[in-house]
Amino acid sequence: MTPLGQDLIARISRTGPMTVADYMTECLLHPRHGYYTTRDPFGQSGDFITAPEISQMFGELIGLWLAQVWTDQGAPSAFVLAELGPGRGTLMSDVLRATARVPGFHGAADLHLVEASPVLRRAQEDALQGHKITFHDHPGSLPDAPLFLIANEFFDALPIRQFQRGKTGWHERMIGADADGLHWGLGPETALEALAGRLEDTKEGQIVELNAPALPIAEDIGNRIATYGGAALIIDYGDAESIGDTFQALKDHETIDVFSSPGAADLTAHVAFGPLARAALPARASGLTPQGVFLEELGITGRARQLAAGLSGAALETHIAAHRRLTHPEEMGTLFKVLALTAPDAPPLPGLDPNPLASP
Ligand code: SAH
């Protein structure tokens, strides 16, 4: 058991079972033993690899998307360019490179990063040398201005709670401990307003997840965009609504037991985009668009061909595999979804299904 695991077992023995959300928060962000607070987990040698780390094409296309949407909205002369959970800073660095020649874009952009991990803040400063960065602990402190925001694999890292449907209502899944380690248990029946509608689309024994911290973040972003203009682009694995248990631990690119390495494995849950879109009202939500479709609409195949022309051998193989990995339905193309938010009267967005995921 990891040092954090031993701490948690002792704590549960003293003060009782903990929620999945408390467990996730401790494992990911504990000041001394947390997964994100103590390491850079990305890349081949890390535990997982994200889209911007797979290929520069991902960030370049998102950069051009942002520049197009900014232009379509009349090119506001001062705006906040923000990212939630920027990881190594690779996505933002590709966005800035791809937009360097868009007239006026860099001059108007004020760069703000929301990042909890001190280790990753340093990596982001390194990746974005030459750009002025303002860091935030929370999106609530972003300045009031048109907001162009990206969040790739941010919401999946926020702590979820899980509820299992019993005979007559919901029981929270709790984490207990004994001499053998951590184990699952169920709390007493609870009635939560957020679960009220879910008796209609679930059966006894099924699990529903609630990403409580995501909702006020979506609400805040939605209000800013509805008031000042701009757009948010949220990309993650998940679906319109939470369906079943998606809580998972990842270490060395393998899925492992969620209790086996507290603080030393990444913990995530799929994102339910419908609740985010509803929380963001009055901002207008796009339809939920598969990542593969979005990237194809933005022209990833043309860009891939252009880059391929300068490559050969192993580098070309890697490049072809990266294109496939980002877009193919059996890889990230369908599992990952894209949701965008704009002001209700904003022009249509490139690459996204226009049928809103939530309506007022
Ligand atoms: N967007 C990056 C990294 C995704 S990993 C990429 O695509 O590669 C999740 C990121 O969110 C990390 O940077 C992590 O430190 C950050 N993060 C996780 N929980 C957070 C929280 N509660 N507040 C701010 N940042 C958080």
Side-chain angles (χ1 to χ4, degrees), residues 29 36 42 50 52 83 85-87 115-117 120 152-154 157-158:
L29 298 177
Y36 283 116
F42 304 99
T50 56
E83 182 172 0
E115 175 56 65
S117 157
L120 292 175
N152 184 60
E153 291 208 44
F154 168 76
L158 298 182

Side-chain angles (χ1 to χ4, degrees), residues 28-29 36-37 39 41-42 48-53 58 83-91 114-118 120-121 124 136-139 150-159 213 217 266:
L28 296 179
L29 298 177
Y36 283 116
T37 27
R39 77 197 70 211
F42 304 99
F48 59 90
I49 186 158
T50 56
E53 303 294 337
F58 186 77
E83 182 172 0
L84 309 184
R88 277 181 175 167
T90 308
L91 173 54
V114 178
E115 175 56 65
S117 157
L120 292 175
R121 281 187 182 195
Q124 292 154 18
H136 299 257
D137 292 328
H138 196 275
I150 47 181
N152 184 60
E153 291 208 44
F154 168 76
F155 284 98
D156 69 33
L158 298 182
I217 294 176
D266 188 33

Side-chain angles (χ1 to χ4, degrees), residues 237-258:
Y237 44 160
D239 235 308
E241 304 297 332
S242 145
I243 22 154
D245 173 16
T246 69
F247 184 42
Q248 66 163 17
L250 211 59
K251 195 170 188 315
D252 299 328
H253 301 267
E254 303 278 345
T255 310
I256 60 165
D257 186 277
V258 290

Side-chain angles (χ1 to χ4, degrees), residues 23 86 102 105 175 258 307 359:
Y23 180 70
V102 176
F105 189 80
I175 299 169
V258 290
L307 288 170
S359 21

Side-chain angles (χ1 to χ4, degrees), residues 1-28 30 33-34 175-178 181-183 258-264 267:
M1 194 38 95
T2 59
L4 179 61
Q6 283 163 2
D7 258 29
L8 295 178
I9 290 171
R11 193 188 314 177
I12 290 169
S13 312
R14 272 198 314 273
T15 56
M18 61 199 300
T19 62
V20 179
D22 288 341
Y23 180 70
M24 274 183 93
T25 304
E26 292 296 331
C27 291
L28 296 179
H30 185 282
H33 302 301
I175 299 169
D178 59 22
L182 298 165
H183 58 76
V258 290
F259 295 148
S260 69
S261 297
L267 294 177

Side-chain angles (χ1 to χ4, degrees), residues 79-82 92 96 109-113 128 131-134:
F79 70 93
V80 170
L81 177 59
M92 187 53 85
L96 290 171
D110 186 14
L111 186 55
H112 292 261
L113 306 180
L128 299 169
H131 297 276
K132 181 182 147 277
I133 307 173
T134 309

